[in-house]
Amino acid sequence: MKALWLLPVILVLIGCVNVRTKHLLGAEPVDLSLPDESEEFSGIAGEWVDADGLVARVTVIDAEEGEILYAPQAEGDDPKKVTLRRTDDFAFANFETDEKGERIWMLAGTNSDMNEVYLWTPDSKRFRKLIAEGKIRGTNDPETKIDEEGKEEDVQNPGAVIDDPEGKWIARMIAGEFGVLVDWKHPLVFRRVVTETETEGGEDEAEPGEDDDGAVEGDAGPGEDPSAGEAGQAGSG
């Protein structure tokens, strides 16, 4: 797997990811108009399926601005606009939400054939700690709330909102100052849906993300702490 992040792209997580941002993350747009050999995410358009068999269609809205539409095929799930931006080799997926002025974001990577996408969610406890210590600009969500009966109760897994218009924390993350900020142990894996027409005439094709001998491509599998290169610097510390 390439040492490239899309920090991902799945609606089922929108209600679970609770580290949000008030500003688009990433210094510049991911240019999806570039050829595949120049920008691996240029091939993002198409249908993708997760481990539970849920299918979603991704279409490009504005290629040069890295804007895509993520549309689950399940009934009742609304499509979401996602803006892909990058700082150095780190690409961020910024999801629009129903909350005005806030976006959900995730990290991700692809395999070399762009037929698998791996997504990692930010660690809310780590971000809350860094925000409380003043190392990242933002605010932490309250740890308690008032229920319907007017009683105070604890909030399960409270989140945080990053409020850093210049994105200074990203450079420090890339430098490895903050340690591990995403949940490496529980990645989401999405595979491209291949139609019968596309596979017609093929013989004993390997599963997406696997070599002919069944080995997963790349230096590190999804969910493993990379130990070398740029991914290792950002994912460990």
Side-chain angles (χ1 to χ4, degrees), residues 195-206:
T195 65
E196 291 183 7
T197 301
E198 291 172 314
T199 58
E200 200 169 287
E203 295 184 5
D204 298 327
E205 292 186 355

Side-chain angles (χ1 to χ4, degrees), residues 80-135:
K80 295 289 184 182
K81 177 183 174 182
V82 184
T83 302
L84 306 178
R85 297 180 65 86
R86 177 181 284 113
T87 296
D88 296 338
D89 286 332
F90 286 71
F92 295 78
N94 299 269
F95 291 78
E96 285 193 349
T97 68
D98 296 332
E99 190 69 27
K100 186 177 180 180
E102 292 184 5
R103 296 175 176 85
I104 293 295
W105 65 273
M106 284 181 277
L107 293 174
T110 74
N111 65 353
S112 59
D113 294 328
M114 190 50 192
N115 54 23
E116 286 190 355
V117 172
Y118 313 118
L119 305 179
W120 295 271
T121 59
D123 185 332
S124 60
K125 291 182 179 180
R126 289 287 301 150
F127 275 93
R128 286 176 62 85
K129 183 175 186 295
L130 291 168
I131 289 173
E133 294 172 349
K135 295 179 180 179

Side-chain angles (χ1 to χ4, degrees), residues 60-74:
V60 176
I61 302 173
D62 188 328
E64 293 184 354
E65 292 300 318
E67 295 179 355
I68 62 176
L69 188 69
Y70 181 84
Q73 303 300 291

Side-chain angles (χ1 to χ4, degrees), residues 5-6 27 46 57 62 64 75 89 93 109 118 156 170 200 202 223:
W5 309 50
L6 193 161
R57 175 173 290 277
D62 188 328
E64 293 184 354
E75 185 176 352
D89 286 332
Y118 313 118
Q156 298 297 318
I170 297 174
E200 200 169 287

Side-chain angles (χ1 to χ4, degrees), residues 19-96:
V19 180
R20 292 96 63 202
T21 177
K22 288 191 174 183
H23 308 276
L24 286 171
L25 301 183
E28 59 186 13
V30 170
D31 190 349
L32 301 176
S33 69
L34 295 173
D36 292 351
E37 58 268 22
S38 300
E39 172 51 65
E40 65 176 314
F41 290 104
S42 293
I44 194 79
E47 290 189 342
W48 298 84
V49 61
D50 66 12
D52 294 323
L54 300 176
V55 177
R57 175 173 290 277
V58 173
T59 54
V60 176
I61 302 173
D62 188 328
E64 293 184 354
E65 292 300 318
E67 295 179 355
I68 62 176
L69 188 69
Y70 181 84
Q73 303 300 291
E75 185 176 352
D77 286 338
D78 296 327
K80 295 289 184 182
K81 177 183 174 182
V82 184
T83 302
L84 306 178
R85 297 180 65 86
R86 177 181 284 113
T87 296
D88 296 338
D89 286 332
F90 286 71
F92 295 78
N94 299 269
F95 291 78
E96 285 193 349

